[in-house]
Amino acid sequence: MITLYGFPLSNYYNKVKLSLLEKGVPFAEEVAPPSQDAAYLEKSPLGRIPFIGRSGSAGCLIESQAIIEYIEAIGPKENRLLPADPWEAAQCRAIMSVIDSSIDTPVRPVLPAVLFGQSAPPDQVARAQQGVLRGIGALQRMAKFSPYIAGGELTYADLAAITVMPIASVVLKTVNGKDPYDDWPQLQSLFALLRQRPHVQKVEAEAARAFQDFIARRK
């Protein structure tokens, strides 16, 4: 049995959870906010979430991409979420990497201000917006949307898109009033398609409740 550590306020936690659900790998969850305590660092060396552990095994596995690769390796072989063709599988990994590094990472410096209702420095906002737009341009050149982001079948790249990418939308709408995805109808269609899936609905509902709880505690 796998245990998934973290909590649903984290988009990377949600990416791993959705991957486990869609792949059909049984798992348990344990709430574990990030920490720099020594005992926590024994499980998650950087003190971050998500991470997973296995029953009867020492140590844990960190980094969402590494966890997803493990999920694919141990999950039902008939339910592939990474293409069998090595080139197409590598293309999925490249899309996931761009989502993480060039869509999510640029808005991270602005996120604390948004979460706590503060103003972010204008130059920081400008860098975030510039970085996200550059990432969007890259994804527009890479994505197929036929109908899924990497082709005709659901893959982990789609699960990354629906869990990780919305943070940039929330942050930039909050700081400058414009959703960076408004002029990207193919992405909107993909999100609408994915949101028909019960597991996506479950993960998004739990993430929304976690965010509402966070805002209530902040007041």
Side-chain angles (χ1 to χ4, degrees):
M1 172 66 74
I2 287 175
T3 299
L4 172 60
Y5 296 88
F7 62 106
L9 197 60
S10 161
N11 51 356
Y12 290 101
Y13 178 90
N14 294 330
K15 178 172 74 170
V16 170
K17 181 173 181 176
L18 183 56
S19 297
L20 286 162
L21 290 168
E22 289 287 349
K23 185 66 178 178
V25 174
F27 67 101
E29 295 179 82
E30 186 169 323
V31 175
S35 173
Q36 292 298 307
D37 290 346
Y40 193 101
L41 293 174
E42 289 299 314
K43 295 180 178 180
S44 176
L46 291 170
R48 300 192 310 215
I49 59 171
F51 59 96
I52 63 170
R54 297 187 306 171
S55 300
S57 298
C60 291
L61 180 62
I62 65 171
E63 297 299 325
S64 63
Q65 185 59 36
I67 296 170
I68 284 173
E69 298 281 351
Y70 177 71
I71 291 168
E72 181 64 17
I74 67 167
K77 302 306 178 187
E78 68 275 10
N79 183 22
R80 295 195 65 90
L81 290 174
L82 199 63
D85 179 79
W87 179 261
E88 296 302 325
Q91 293 289 354
C92 279
R93 294 184 180 99
I95 289 172
M96 286 188 280
S97 179
V98 170
I99 289 171
D100 289 354
S101 66
S102 300
I103 298 289
D104 189 66
T105 297
V107 298
R108 287 285 155 171
V110 185
L111 184 57
V114 170
L115 288 176
F116 293 100
Q118 301 168 355
S119 297
D123 60 330
Q124 196 176 62
V125 172
R127 285 195 298 272
Q129 181 167 338
Q130 182 179 23
V132 170
L133 292 177
R134 181 170 179 265
I136 287 173
L139 277 183
Q140 287 175 330
R141 291 184 284 272
M142 298 169 71
K144 295 180 179 178
F145 296 117
S146 57
Y148 296 102
I149 198 166
E153 302 294 333
L154 179 78
T155 69
Y156 292 110
D158 298 291
L159 308 186
I162 194 66
T163 53
V164 176
M165 291 180 69
I167 291 292
S169 172
V170 171
V171 169
L172 292 182
K173 276 198 299 186
T174 301
V175 297
N176 65 19
K178 181 169 175 57
D179 188 329
Y181 308 141
D182 276 348
D183 301 323
W184 196 358
Q186 296 97 331
L187 184 71
Q188 301 296 340
S189 296
L190 173 68
F191 283 177
L193 175 64
L194 294 173
R195 285 174 174 141
Q196 296 174 24
R197 304 181 71 85
H199 291 147
V200 172
Q201 294 169 14
K202 172 182 171 63
V203 169
E204 288 203 321
E206 291 172 354
R209 285 196 296 272
F211 182 72
Q212 290 164 1
D213 290 345
F214 173 81
I215 297 299
R217 290 194 304 271
R218 195 188 72 186
K219 293 180 179 178

